[in-house]
Amino acid sequence: MAFLPEIRGTLTIHTEPERFFRAFCRRVKSGLLTGTPHRRSNYKVIAADERHVSVRAADWWTAFNVGLNDLELEWTGKATLRYRVRYWRWTLYCLLGSAVLAAIGITLALTFDVRSYLTAAPGRLIWGLSVEQNILLLWGFIVFWGFIWPWLLVALHKRPLHALVKRLVAAVDESVAALS
C-alpha cells in the first residue's frame, strides 16, 4: 500500500550473520547514519541476537530527521537479510505540520472577507479565473497542503528509505569484510 508508512525488502550480505549483527549494533552505538555521534542520529538497539536486530529512533529529533523510526533486520539464510522500516512517528510529524497549515488557512479564509478583497482589486485574481474560481482554488490549496500533501510525502519517502537501508547495510557489511 503506497500510503502506509512502512517499507520492506531484502538485501544480500557477504559476511556471516553473527559478525554482521554485532557490527551493526556497534554502528548504532557510534552513530547509525554517519558512523559518528550526531544529535539527529540517536538510535537505540531494542533487541538483538545473532540473527536479528531491532533499532529505534531514541528521540523526536532523530525520528523526524530521516524517518528511520523503527528498523528491523533479520537473517533469512543464504546471505539474505530481510528488513522492515516503519515510520509512523515521522508521518505523525508531517500530519501535524500539515494540520497546522490547514488550520491557519481555514482560519484566514473564514475570518477575512476574501470575496470583497478579490473584487476590490481585480489585479489580485489569477488571470482568466473568476472571483468564485479563485476562492475555489484557495480552498483547493488548503485541502491539498493540509490533508493530501502529508500522505504524498509518506509515499514519496519510501524510495529514499530503501536507499538509506541499503547504504547502511552495505557500509556495515563492508566494514566487517575489511576486518577479515
Side-chain angles (χ1 to χ4, degrees):
M1 215 165 135
F3 302 108
L4 182 66
E6 180 177 308
I7 61 168
R8 295 171 185 253
T10 57
L11 296 168
T12 302
I13 61 171
H14 304 293
T15 56
E16 56 191 50
E18 296 83 8
R19 292 180 64 207
F20 174 83
F21 287 118
R22 280 195 307 272
F24 198 88
C25 290
R26 285 192 305 272
R27 173 73 181 241
V28 170
K29 290 175 185 169
S30 67
L32 178 61
L33 299 179
T34 62
T36 59
H38 192 280
R39 67 184 183 141
R40 294 190 307 177
S41 183
N42 184 15
Y43 290 90
K44 302 291 183 210
V45 174
I46 302 303
D49 59 35
E50 60 276 347
R51 299 201 178 278
H52 174 268
V53 67
S54 293
V55 176
R56 177 169 291 148
D59 53 33
W60 81 270
W61 192 247
T62 301
F64 182 71
N65 185 31
V66 294
L68 188 67
N69 299 158
D70 293 291
L71 168 65
E72 295 176 18
L73 297 173
E74 181 182 8
W75 173 256
T76 60
K78 298 183 182 176
T80 305
L81 282 180
R82 183 179 317 140
Y83 66 88
R84 177 180 174 194
V85 175
R86 288 170 291 166
Y87 52 106
W88 278 103
R89 289 190 290 169
W90 185 88
T91 301
L92 178 63
Y93 301 139
C94 290
L95 290 170
L96 289 173
S98 290
V100 168
L101 289 176
I104 292 169
I106 290 168
T107 300
L108 291 174
L110 294 176
T111 302
F112 296 104
D113 186 5
V114 177
R115 184 177 310 286
S116 295
Y117 175 78
L118 293 174
T119 305
R124 296 177 184 141
L125 295 173
I126 295 176
W127 186 78
L129 297 181
S130 68
V131 171
E132 289 76 23
Q133 290 170 328
N134 273 266
I135 292 171
L136 187 60
L137 190 60
L138 169 67
W139 284 104
F141 284 145
I142 291 170
V143 167
F144 177 80
W145 292 108
F147 304 103
I148 297 171
W149 178 244
W151 294 108
L152 289 176
L153 283 176
V154 167
L156 292 170
H157 198 56
K158 290 179 184 280
R159 182 176 291 181
L161 276 181
H162 280 292
L164 176 61
V165 172
K166 183 178 180 179
R167 183 178 59 83
L168 292 172
V169 167
V172 172
D173 193 31
E174 289 170 13
S175 72
V176 172
L179 295 174
S180 299

